[in-house]
Amino acid sequence: MTHSQLHAGAALGSALLVAAFVAFLPPVPPVSAQSLAQRICREQGLKPGMEGHEYCLSQTTRSLEWGEPEMAYKFARVAARAREACLSYGLQMNTSGLQACIDKETAARALLVFATEEPKYGPQVAND
């Protein structure tokens, strides 16, 4: 056996060993909707414990679970803008007044998300 055959055999053996190792690795789990929603809310400036964060997290997670990532980003922006608006009214952080304002602002602004959404009709509408 020549040196080139020996090197070729070693390279082939190494490649087969790596391929076998990779084939038996566990699959990488997909990112959960909630962890993605947490990232989206953080990107909008809403961190855990802040007013508006729970709304952002719940609506964003639900939108992602429904397969609507665009709507998830819209709801995150709604929560962030509602919080900004309420703070601009002079309400103090960590007060019930601020939370009540955010609740009202998010409810009103969420209606605009649905009003600007293009209706999606599935095959069930065509069969009716």
Side-chain angles (χ1 to χ4, degrees):
M1 197 183 262
T2 65
H3 286 296
S4 61
Q5 289 175 332
L6 183 63
H7 290 293
L12 179 62
S14 298
L16 290 175
L17 184 63
V18 169
F21 179 74
V22 170
F24 291 106
L25 282 176
V28 177
V31 176
S32 72
Q34 186 164 8
S35 64
L36 183 55
Q38 288 172 341
R39 183 179 61 81
I40 292 171
C41 291
R42 263 194 323 271
E43 288 173 357
Q44 293 299 319
L46 295 169
K47 295 176 179 69
M50 294 175 76
E51 293 88 352
H53 180 263
E54 286 302 317
Y55 175 86
C56 179
L57 190 59
S58 66
Q59 296 302 315
T60 305
T61 301
R62 183 176 300 147
S63 298
L64 291 169
E65 288 171 347
W66 289 346
E68 298 285 345
E70 302 87 19
M71 190 175 284
Y73 282 95
K74 288 180 182 179
F75 276 121
R77 283 191 296 275
V78 161
R81 289 181 181 152
R83 184 174 190 280
E84 291 168 6
C86 292
L87 289 172
S88 74
Y89 302 152
L91 296 169
Q92 298 299 313
M93 292 174 47
N94 300 321
T95 62
S96 60
L98 177 61
Q99 187 60 52
C101 177
I102 290 173
D103 291 344
K104 289 178 184 176
E105 286 286 333
T106 54
R109 292 166 188 257
L111 292 175
L112 295 174
V113 169
F114 289 114
T116 58
E117 278 293 307
E118 191 75 25
K120 295 179 181 176
Y121 301 108
Q124 69 276 12
V125 174
N127 294 331
D128 290 343

